[in-house]
Amino acid sequence: MKTLIQRVEQLASPLLHLADGLRPLVLLFLRLWVANVFFSSGLTKIADWDTTLLLFTEEYHVPLLPPAVAAVMGTFGELVFSSLLAIGLTGRFAAAGLFVVNLTAVISYPGLTETTRQFHYYWGMLLAVIACSGPGLLSLDRLLSWWSRQPQDD
């Protein structure tokens, strides 16, 4: 039995190395995909602020916040966190922030259909992956970390 397991591991090894090599690209793709969803939503909100305020007053029922405050915070979160996520700056923080924005949308909007709710769950899972694993090698976080470890010439 042990030799069978060793043989399977030996056969799978090249695939695992390929997967490791693709991880930075996959994380970049996930970051850009989710950031685009939330950034586009934020742009829609600032394009017609009167409608956004009306929606937060009549449709979205954000717990504990007045509608105008919820509108500002939601729009700010969508635009700022998605921008940070896209470039990979404070990537875990940005993903966690968007996770909270997404969770708030699911909780506060009773008009979500089952299909749109599934989209929110999907985005939430992607954001959880990024928050747990970090933004990856192709991020500003990684570049700044590398740069800060370089010897400084004075």
Side-chain angles (χ1 to χ4, degrees):
M1 184 67 167
K2 186 175 181 181
T3 58
L4 176 63
I5 292 172
Q6 289 171 338
R7 183 72 179 139
V8 169
E9 287 176 349
Q10 183 181 15
L11 290 171
S13 180
L15 293 175
L16 295 175
H17 289 298
L18 176 63
D20 285 341
L22 292 176
R23 181 176 298 144
L25 291 173
V26 170
L27 285 170
L28 175 64
F29 176 76
L30 293 181
R31 287 189 354 245
L32 294 175
W33 181 277
V34 177
N36 180 58
V37 168
F38 285 91
F39 192 77
S40 297
S41 178
L43 289 179
T44 301
K45 286 179 177 66
I46 62 171
D48 188 350
W49 191 248
D50 290 336
T51 300
T52 298
L53 289 176
L54 180 67
L55 284 171
F56 273 86
T57 302
E58 301 295 326
E59 295 287 326
Y60 309 145
H61 305 290
V62 179
L64 307 175
L65 293 177
V69 173
V72 169
M73 289 178 68
T75 304
F76 175 86
E78 287 179 330
L79 294 172
V80 173
F81 292 143
S82 63
S83 298
L84 292 172
L85 187 65
I87 62 174
L89 182 61
T90 64
R92 290 177 190 258
F93 173 74
L98 283 177
F99 186 90
V100 170
V101 170
N102 185 53
L103 181 63
T104 303
V106 170
I107 291 169
S108 65
Y109 184 49
L112 286 177
T113 65
E114 189 55 37
T115 301
T116 54
R117 187 177 309 279
Q118 291 301 318
F119 279 115
H120 283 275
Y121 294 160
Y122 173 67
W123 298 327
M125 286 186 292
L126 295 179
L127 289 165
V129 166
I130 298 166
C132 291
S133 67
L137 289 174
L138 301 174
S139 66
L140 203 50
D141 282 351
R142 185 60 63 120
L143 179 65
L144 292 172
S145 173
W146 173 82
W147 181 75
S148 70
R149 285 180 279 156
Q150 297 303 307
Q152 304 298 317
D153 295 331
D154 290 326

